[in-house]
Amino acid sequence: MADPATYRPAPGEIPDAPGVYRFRDEHGRVIYVGKAKSLRSRLSSYFQDLAGLHPRTQQMVTTASSVQWTVVGTEVEALALEYSWIKEFDPRFNIKYRDDKSYPYLAVTMADEFPRVQVMRGAKRKGTRYFGPYAHAWAIRETVDLLLRVFPVRTCSAGVFKRAHQQGRPCLLGYIDKCSAPCVGRISPDDHHRLAQDFCDFMAGDTAKFERRLTARMKEAAAELDYERAARLRDDIATLQRATERNAVVLADGTDADLFALVGDELEAAVQVFHVRDGRIRGQRGWVVEKVEDVDDADLVEHLLQQVYGTPDAAVPREVLVPVLPPDVDQVQAWLTGLRGSRVQVRVPQRGDKRELAETVRRNAEHALVLHRTRRAGDLTTRSQALREIQEALGLESAPLRIECYDVSHNQGTYQSASMVVFEDGMPRKSEYRLFSVRGPEGQGARDDTAAMHEVISRRFRRYLAERVDAHDVELGLGEDEDWAADEPAHRSGPVDEATGRPARFAYPPNLVVVDGGPPQVAAAAAAMAELGIDDVALCGLAKRLEEVWLPGDDYPVILERSSEGLYLLQRLRDEAHRFAITAHRKRRSKGMTTSALDAVPGLGPARQAALLKRFGSVKRLRAASVEEVAAVPGMGARTAAAVVAALAGSAGDGASADASDSGGTTGGAVPTADDPAGMLAP
């Protein structure tokens, strides 16, 4: 008997999305398949106190040794996939239905005088239109119940129809307007046949014309102030939209295909494949691969197909659906055709059900990659190993428990922004991330990336020295007993801001500074630290192209193994710093494109700016106006008018671009003040 706690997924690993889950025993056999509207909520219910579970559920969770899940788009897809896998795996803990020998269909008996809508199984009959298959009969009845509001077609049996005709009184559905009551002559046979044909056309996919028709009638009712009828028609439109929800995990019965999805970056990729046989998903596989060589997605797909179908017992389907075509698709198709013994097509799905299912496969690959990274980063042993590998590679005296990484982002030298991200004990500490607005010696930005890096490192450690002096702490050693993995800054020792009682923002020196770049960026950062007398903080750079680690003054880089946890941690730091910097840069650039010379005028809000521009037409004409002309604008006073004229006169030589550059510091940095001499901005 297994303890469910031994295989319980970690918090945050389970997605809050519809899907299907599978419990497996120690031998890998599927013992239970279930569906859920929210996988996170449903799976969490299995790992509560055993005493609170049903005895059969207790037996199931203690028999199982692992749990897996597959994300889908809707509850309908989850229902179909659950049904398919119950048929496939025959799990011992699932309820066995005696009537599940075939899929139920929605049938319309168009050959009858008064066509009837019903649920049918077994052999198909001539003169009857079929739609489906559906996973369960109740799913068909729910669809029919919805559509009868709009298409009140007969659903009763021949006996009920005959009895109602003899009595001259319709059944309950006729009274509640879910049947047009042909049994008592409320509708002629021809009109009822046309109504049944409309029902079939809608189920066949011709839905737009019915929605347009109901929408037009709804608007007419609203125009006539008949809001009750308009509300009913609005509900009918919503009914049609619900009924047309596509099922992306049930394909045509003859479909025989493997669908591949690929999600990743320059370092690693997650691969998922769904095996579809006879229109049903019969299996799912997934991998996370490291890109040990420089390959693009097309090459990766080719290698993947070689790995999957290269084994002697591999089953090659008629279709192989991939996210991108391999470089020599004809050669790959010829190879697969030889393995199968008949023609195999390799292609990218473009539309329809296969395209929708391919999107479902892609979502599962995306989730698998996130789950892989979460588990890898969240494991304490792995993080400790990563810090130890970095310590050994860089020759540090102790493991770098606090690491800061810096990156610079700009657009051809404009809107220069820089980021500082902080990792403590191998985990991101987002509350201590910082943004810089790079100003340069003349306030117009740095001349290049190395100058920008020099400025950022100088400002960061200048602030560190200032706060250390303010805290009257001459020497800030990192004692071995300090809790640097604590969740809250108050748990650590160090300088405290007397005004707020919180730890000073920049008074903590890092054990290691990482810059995004190679020798030039490392040299610039080393020069900045040397100028300030910082000699107790290690420094390195990570060059992206070959993932080389550069130390100050070294002619050759430090090479870490591609699979090492230390390199993975440095890459996460670099990628997070890049993400944070480029986000700040985009915000500054977005705001800089919409700034105006009027923004710098104190007390001039959006309403007064709009009034001035409406009166004068442009800033150029406003700049030529006198104080009296500006004061004549409604809402403007003499003092504000004088401030406007003075501000525009002062910015005449600089132009709007200079104003945008000066005001841009509010988006990605801060203008230096007496309280903030370094001009740094907390996010």
Side-chain angles (χ1 to χ4, degrees), residues 243-264:
T244 55
E245 186 178 50
R246 300 297 299 274
N247 187 347
V249 299
V250 178
L251 304 178
D253 287 342
T255 302
D256 181 18
D258 286 347
L259 289 92
F260 290 85
L262 187 68
V263 175

PDB file of all heavy atoms in Angstrom, residues 243-264:
ATOM      1  N   ALA A 243     -24.199  25.201 -28.469  1.00  0.00           N
ATOM      2  CA  ALA A 243     -24.372  23.928 -29.152  1.00  0.00           C
ATOM      3  C   ALA A 243     -23.321  23.704 -30.232  1.00  0.00           C
ATOM      4  O   ALA A 243     -23.049  22.564 -30.609  1.00  0.00           O
ATOM      5  CB  ALA A 243     -25.763  23.854 -29.769  1.00  0.00           C
ATOM      6  N   THR A 244     -22.733  24.781 -30.742  1.00  0.00           N
ATOM      7  CA  THR A 244     -21.740  24.640 -31.813  1.00  0.00           C
ATOM      8  C   THR A 244     -20.328  24.486 -31.289  1.00  0.00           C
ATOM      9  O   THR A 244     -19.384  24.527 -32.067  1.00  0.00           O
ATOM     10  CB  THR A 244     -21.778  25.863 -32.747  1.00  0.00           C
ATOM     11  OG1 THR A 244     -21.603  27.052 -31.963  1.00  0.00           O
ATOM     12  CG2 THR A 244     -23.088  25.932 -33.493  1.00  0.00           C
ATOM     13  N   GLU A 245     -20.148  24.352 -29.999  1.00  0.00           N
ATOM     14  CA  GLU A 245     -18.807  24.185 -29.451  1.00  0.00           C
ATOM     15  C   GLU A 245     -18.170  22.936 -30.039  1.00  0.00           C
ATOM     16  O   GLU A 245     -18.708  21.835 -29.948  1.00  0.00           O
ATOM     17  CB  GLU A 245     -18.865  24.077 -27.930  1.00  0.00           C
ATOM     18  CG  GLU A 245     -17.501  24.056 -27.277  1.00  0.00           C
ATOM     19  CD  GLU A 245     -17.610  23.986 -25.765  1.00  0.00           C
ATOM     20  OE1 GLU A 245     -18.353  23.116 -25.259  1.00  0.00           O
ATOM     21  OE2 GLU A 245     -16.973  24.789 -25.088  1.00  0.00           O
ATOM     22  N   ARG A 246     -17.004  23.109 -30.650  1.00  0.00           N
ATOM     23  CA  ARG A 246     -16.349  22.012 -31.353  1.00  0.00           C
ATOM     24  C   ARG A 246     -15.635  21.090 -30.386  1.00  0.00           C
ATOM     25  O   ARG A 246     -15.148  21.491 -29.345  1.00  0.00           O
ATOM     26  CB  ARG A 246     -15.336  22.562 -32.357  1.00  0.00           C
ATOM     27  CG  ARG A 246     -15.932  23.457 -33.400  1.00  0.00           C
ATOM     28  CD  ARG A 246     -16.927  22.719 -34.281  1.00  0.00           C
ATOM     29  NE  ARG A 246     -16.302  21.630 -34.991  1.00  0.00           N
ATOM     30  CZ  ARG A 246     -15.682  21.790 -36.146  1.00  0.00           C
ATOM     31  NH1 ARG A 246     -15.604  22.963 -36.714  1.00  0.00           N
ATOM     32  NH2 ARG A 246     -15.127  20.762 -36.752  1.00  0.00           N
ATOM     33  N   ASN A 247     -15.564  19.838 -30.771  1.00  0.00           N
ATOM     34  CA  ASN A 247     -14.862  18.839 -29.976  1.00  0.00           C
ATOM     35  C   ASN A 247     -13.552  18.514 -30.675  1.00  0.00           C
ATOM     36  O   ASN A 247     -13.537  17.820 -31.682  1.00  0.00           O
ATOM     37  CB  ASN A 247     -15.724  17.582 -29.846  1.00  0.00           C
ATOM     38  CG  ASN A 247     -15.122  16.593 -28.887  1.00  0.00           C
ATOM     39  OD1 ASN A 247     -13.971  16.715 -28.506  1.00  0.00           O
ATOM     40  ND2 ASN A 247     -15.908  15.609 -28.496  1.00  0.00           N
ATOM     41  N   ALA A 248     -12.446  19.030 -30.140  1.00  0.00           N
ATOM     42  CA  ALA A 248     -11.164  18.935 -30.835  1.00  0.00           C
ATOM     43  C   ALA A 248     -10.410  17.648 -30.560  1.00  0.00           C
ATOM     44  O   ALA A 248      -9.333  17.459 -31.090  1.00  0.00           O
ATOM     45  CB  ALA A 248     -10.274  20.118 -30.450  1.00  0.00           C
ATOM     46  N   VAL A 249     -10.948  16.766 -29.718  1.00  0.00           N
ATOM     47  CA  VAL A 249     -10.220  15.525 -29.439  1.00  0.00           C
ATOM     48  C   VAL A 249     -10.935  14.316 -30.020  1.00  0.00           C
ATOM     49  O   VAL A 249     -10.549  13.193 -29.767  1.00  0.00           O
ATOM     50  CB  VAL A 249      -9.999  15.331 -27.917  1.00  0.00           C
ATOM     51  CG1 VAL A 249      -9.182  16.462 -27.366  1.00  0.00           C
ATOM     52  CG2 VAL A 249     -11.318  15.191 -27.177  1.00  0.00           C
ATOM     53  N   VAL A 250     -11.983  14.518 -30.794  1.00  0.00           N
ATOM     54  CA  VAL A 250     -12.659  13.440 -31.509  1.00  0.00           C
ATOM     55  C   VAL A 250     -12.636  13.787 -32.980  1.00  0.00           C
ATOM     56  O   VAL A 250     -13.247  14.754 -33.411  1.00  0.00           O
ATOM     57  CB  VAL A 250     -14.112  13.256 -31.020  1.00  0.00           C
ATOM     58  CG1 VAL A 250     -14.789  12.160 -31.837  1.00  0.00           C
ATOM     59  CG2 VAL A 250     -14.145  12.901 -29.544  1.00  0.00           C
ATOM     60  N   LEU A 251     -11.906  12.998 -33.771  1.00  0.00           N
ATOM     61  CA  LEU A 251     -11.776  13.254 -35.198  1.00  0.00           C
ATOM     62  C   LEU A 251     -12.585  12.228 -35.976  1.00  0.00           C
ATOM     63  O   LEU A 251     -13.253  11.358 -35.397  1.00  0.00           O
ATOM     64  CB  LEU A 251     -10.300  13.206 -35.594  1.00  0.00           C
ATOM     65  CG  LEU A 251      -9.374  14.154 -34.833  1.00  0.00           C
ATOM     66  CD1 LEU A 251      -7.948  13.967 -35.303  1.00  0.00           C
ATOM     67  CD2 LEU A 251      -9.807  15.597 -34.991  1.00  0.00           C
ATOM     68  N   ALA A 252     -12.530  12.334 -37.290  1.00  0.00           N
ATOM     69  CA  ALA A 252     -13.244  11.385 -38.139  1.00  0.00           C
ATOM     70  C   ALA A 252     -12.753   9.963 -37.861  1.00  0.00           C
ATOM     71  O   ALA A 252     -11.575   9.738 -37.551  1.00  0.00           O
ATOM     72  CB  ALA A 252     -13.037  11.750 -39.602  1.00  0.00           C
ATOM     73  N   ASP A 253     -13.675   9.012 -38.012  1.00  0.00           N
ATOM     74  CA  ASP A 253     -13.366   7.635 -37.608  1.00  0.00           C
ATOM     75  C   ASP A 253     -12.148   7.058 -38.314  1.00  0.00           C
ATOM     76  O   ASP A 253     -11.451   6.218 -37.776  1.00  0.00           O
ATOM     77  CB  ASP A 253     -14.583   6.740 -37.872  1.00  0.00           C
ATOM     78  CG  ASP A 253     -15.698   7.002 -36.867  1.00  0.00           C
ATOM     79  OD1 ASP A 253     -15.400   7.580 -35.816  1.00  0.00           O
ATOM     80  OD2 ASP A 253     -16.847   6.622 -37.147  1.00  0.00           O
ATOM     81  N   GLY A 254     -11.858   7.500 -39.547  1.00  0.00           N
ATOM     82  CA  GLY A 254     -10.744   6.930 -40.286  1.00  0.00           C
ATOM     83  C   GLY A 254      -9.412   7.599 -40.039  1.00  0.00           C
ATOM     84  O   GLY A 254      -8.412   7.211 -40.643  1.00  0.00           O
ATOM     85  N   THR A 255      -9.370   8.577 -39.147  1.00  0.00           N
ATOM     86  CA  THR A 255      -8.127   9.326 -38.937  1.00  0.00           C
ATOM     87  C   THR A 255      -7.072   8.443 -38.286  1.00  0.00           C
ATOM     88  O   THR A 255      -7.313   7.820 -37.246  1.00  0.00           O
ATOM     89  CB  THR A 255      -8.388  10.559 -38.061  1.00  0.00           C
ATOM     90  OG1 THR A 255      -9.374  11.379 -38.684  1.00  0.00           O
ATOM     91  CG2 THR A 255      -7.112  11.353 -37.866  1.00  0.00           C
ATOM     92  N   ASP A 256      -5.910   8.407 -38.897  1.00  0.00           N
ATOM     93  CA  ASP A 256      -4.771   7.626 -38.397  1.00  0.00           C
ATOM     94  C   ASP A 256      -3.551   8.539 -38.480  1.00  0.00           C
ATOM     95  O   ASP A 256      -2.951   8.682 -39.552  1.00  0.00           O
ATOM     96  CB  ASP A 256      -4.591   6.369 -39.249  1.00  0.00           C
ATOM     97  CG  ASP A 256      -3.449   5.497 -38.767  1.00  0.00           C
ATOM     98  OD1 ASP A 256      -3.021   5.667 -37.614  1.00  0.00           O
ATOM     99  OD2 ASP A 256      -2.971   4.654 -39.550  1.00  0.00           O
ATOM    100  N   ALA A 257      -3.187   9.172 -37.376  1.00  0.00           N
ATOM    101  CA  ALA A 257      -2.150  10.207 -37.431  1.00  0.00           C
ATOM    102  C   ALA A 257      -1.434  10.321 -36.089  1.00  0.00           C
ATOM    103  O   ALA A 257      -1.968   9.932 -35.040  1.00  0.00           O
ATOM    104  CB  ALA A 257      -2.764  11.568 -37.801  1.00  0.00           C
ATOM    105  N   ASP A 258      -0.224  10.870 -36.154  1.00  0.00           N
ATOM    106  CA  ASP A 258       0.526  11.298 -34.972  1.00  0.00           C
ATOM    107  C   ASP A 258       0.689  12.809 -35.056  1.00  0.00           C
ATOM    108  O   ASP A 258       1.131  13.324 -36.094  1.00  0.00           O
ATOM    109  CB  ASP A 258       1.902  10.629 -34.908  1.00  0.00           C
ATOM    110  CG  ASP A 258       1.823   9.170 -34.503  1.00  0.00           C
ATOM    111  OD1 ASP A 258       0.750   8.740 -34.043  1.00  0.00           O
ATOM    112  OD2 ASP A 258       2.825   8.455 -34.668  1.00  0.00           O
ATOM    113  N   LEU A 259       0.337  13.517 -33.987  1.00  0.00           N
ATOM    114  CA  LEU A 259       0.439  14.971 -33.957  1.00  0.00           C
ATOM    115  C   LEU A 259       1.551  15.375 -33.001  1.00  0.00           C
ATOM    116  O   LEU A 259       1.511  15.026 -31.814  1.00  0.00           O
ATOM    117  CB  LEU A 259      -0.881  15.606 -33.516  1.00  0.00           C
ATOM    118  CG  LEU A 259      -2.034  15.523 -34.519  1.00  0.00           C
ATOM    119  CD1 LEU A 259      -2.872  14.273 -34.259  1.00  0.00           C
ATOM    120  CD2 LEU A 259      -2.928  16.754 -34.417  1.00  0.00           C
ATOM    121  N   PHE A 260       2.542  16.100 -33.520  1.00  0.00           N
ATOM    122  CA  PHE A 260       3.685  16.538 -32.732  1.00  0.00           C
ATOM    123  C   PHE A 260       3.576  18.035 -32.444  1.00  0.00           C
ATOM    124  O   PHE A 260       3.064  18.807 -33.257  1.00  0.00           O
ATOM    125  CB  PHE A 260       4.996  16.270 -33.482  1.00  0.00           C
ATOM    126  CG  PHE A 260       5.351  14.822 -33.610  1.00  0.00           C
ATOM    127  CD1 PHE A 260       4.838  14.056 -34.639  1.00  0.00           C
ATOM    128  CD2 PHE A 260       6.202  14.214 -32.691  1.00  0.00           C
ATOM    129  CE1 PHE A 260       5.158  12.720 -34.770  1.00  0.00           C
ATOM    130  CE2 PHE A 260       6.527  12.871 -32.806  1.00  0.00           C
ATOM    131  CZ  PHE A 260       6.007  12.122 -33.845  1.00  0.00           C
ATOM    132  N   ALA A 261       4.073  18.426 -31.285  1.00  0.00           N
ATOM    133  CA  ALA A 261       4.167  19.845 -30.926  1.00  0.00           C
ATOM    134  C   ALA A 261       5.524  20.086 -30.294  1.00  0.00           C
ATOM    135  O   ALA A 261       6.098  19.203 -29.641  1.00  0.00           O
ATOM    136  CB  ALA A 261       3.058  20.255 -29.965  1.00  0.00           C
ATOM    137  N   LEU A 262       6.039  21.295 -30.480  1.00  0.00           N
ATOM    138  CA  LEU A 262       7.388  21.643 -30.033  1.00  0.00           C
ATOM    139  C   LEU A 262       7.354  23.042 -29.439  1.00  0.00           C
ATOM    140  O   LEU A 262       6.909  23.986 -30.092  1.00  0.00           O
ATOM    141  CB  LEU A 262       8.339  21.599 -31.229  1.00  0.00           C
ATOM    142  CG  LEU A 262       9.837  21.776 -30.981  1.00  0.00           C
ATOM    143  CD1 LEU A 262      10.376  20.583 -30.216  1.00  0.00           C
ATOM    144  CD2 LEU A 262      10.558  21.925 -32.310  1.00  0.00           C
ATOM    145  N   VAL A 263       7.793  23.167 -28.185  1.00  0.00           N
ATOM    146  CA  VAL A 263       7.853  24.462 -27.513  1.00  0.00           C
ATOM    147  C   VAL A 263       9.193  24.540 -26.797  1.00  0.00           C
ATOM    148  O   VAL A 263       9.562  23.612 -26.068  1.00  0.00           O
ATOM    149  CB  VAL A 263       6.709  24.637 -26.493  1.00  0.00           C
ATOM    150  CG1 VAL A 263       6.875  25.948 -25.733  1.00  0.00           C
ATOM    151  CG2 VAL A 263       5.366  24.607 -27.192  1.00  0.00           C
ATOM    152  N   GLY A 264       9.933  25.645 -26.991  1.00  0.00           N
ATOM    153  CA  GLY A 264      11.219  25.749 -26.314  1.00  0.00           C
ATOM    154  C   GLY A 264      11.914  27.059 -26.600  1.00  0.00           C
ATOM    155  O   GLY A 264      11.338  27.997 -27.152  1.00  0.00           O
TER     156      GLY A 264
END
